[in-house]
Amino acid sequence: GKRMYVYAAIGGIVGISAAGSDIGKILWKTTAFAPSVVAPSPVYLGNGKIFITAGYGAGGMLFQVVENNGSYSVKELMKYKPAAGMASEQQTPIVMNGFIFAIQPKDAGASRNQFICCRVDDVKKILWTSGKTERFGMGPYIFADGKFYIVNDEGTLMIARVNSSGFELLDKANVIEGVDSWGPIAIADGYLLMRDSKQMVCLDVRKNN
């Protein structure tokens, strides 16, 4: 019932009032998850539950913000290393239809660099992965027109269809050199923008007539 920003700050995670007479006020904070680098944004999973993840061995944490007569507290639900559940080093996981999707970091054990799916109510149980032959790195991904568009570290764009039971690769093509190709991608009006540290390209991904 309270609008707030959730921010991964140096030293912990904070909730900041986004409306009302107390706008800008820190409503709650937790130092239970405080890696030196946090690239992915916090992800809201409903019912006050927030998932946060980071790279460099940080793994992930799921916590719940609890309100009591206008004051807020944080309840830690689970915290784990990257090999024990969903994690991400660079990109923010995507929540859709009760599932959450991400690319595992390089230190995630057998699932390293694979695109994975979990239920939002259990981020430690991986339902499926993209497999050992389809590994990614820190590259971005986006969902549009019923498909995921995913870029790997070599600048290859992959198009995949996913559901609760698996990952189906539809097509792939090497588009850019892949030098630091982890910048976010965007889609607008059937055109996809992707980049690395040296170039940006625009692709027409509209359906053929």
Side-chain angles (χ1 to χ4, degrees):
K2 177 70 173 177
R3 293 181 61 84
M4 63 181 71
Y5 299 104
V6 179
Y7 186 75
I10 295 175
I13 315 299
V14 296
I16 301 170
S17 174
S21 60
D22 61 350
I23 188 169
K25 177 185 177 182
I26 295 178
L27 301 174
W28 55 266
K29 58 184 177 180
T30 175
T31 59
F33 191 84
S36 58
V37 177
V38 183
S41 297
V43 180
Y44 182 61
L45 301 183
N47 193 30
K49 295 179 180 179
I50 297 170
F51 175 64
I52 185 72
T53 181
Y56 303 99
M61 186 176 82
L62 180 66
F63 61 95
Q64 188 171 28
V65 178
V66 180
E67 187 269 343
N68 184 17
N69 295 324
S71 62
Y72 299 86
S73 60
V74 175
K75 179 182 179 182
E76 182 180 322
L77 302 178
M78 61 177 66
K79 185 178 178 182
Y80 55 85
K81 291 300 183 181
M86 173 171 284
S88 178
E89 183 168 339
Q90 184 72 22
Q91 311 299 327
T92 300
I94 291 178
V95 174
M96 187 171 56
N97 299 328
F99 299 94
I100 183 168
F101 304 87
I103 293 175
Q104 292 290 80
K106 56 183 175 293
D107 50 5
S111 65
R112 69 187 185 280
N113 293 339
Q114 296 178 48
F115 192 81
I116 71 163
C117 172
C118 297
R119 295 185 185 276
V120 294
D121 57 1
D122 191 355
V123 291
K124 290 186 70 175
K125 183 179 180 181
I126 298 175
L127 298 179
W128 52 256
T129 78
S130 57
K132 296 180 179 179
T133 59
E134 302 300 342
R135 293 185 188 271
F136 306 89
M138 294 192 293
Y141 43 89
I142 195 170
F143 184 83
D145 192 30
K147 300 178 288 291
F148 271 99
Y149 295 80
I150 314 167
V151 181
N152 68 13
D153 282 349
E154 287 71 48
T156 297
L157 174 66
M158 303 190 188
I159 303 174
R161 182 179 291 117
V162 305
N163 53 42
S164 59
S165 59
F167 177 97
E168 179 189 359
L169 182 65
L170 301 176
D171 199 5
K172 63 180 178 180
N174 185 256
V175 178
I176 53 179
E177 293 181 13
V179 180
D180 299 332
S181 58
W182 55 67
I185 54 179
I187 292 180
D189 295 329
Y191 294 93
L192 182 147
L193 289 171
M194 58 182 288
R195 64 182 174 90
D196 60 13
S197 62
K198 293 185 177 182
Q199 60 182 326
M200 175 181 284
V201 296
C202 178
L203 306 176
D204 186 346
V205 293
R206 293 173 296 179
K207 290 182 178 179
N208 294 326
N209 292 327

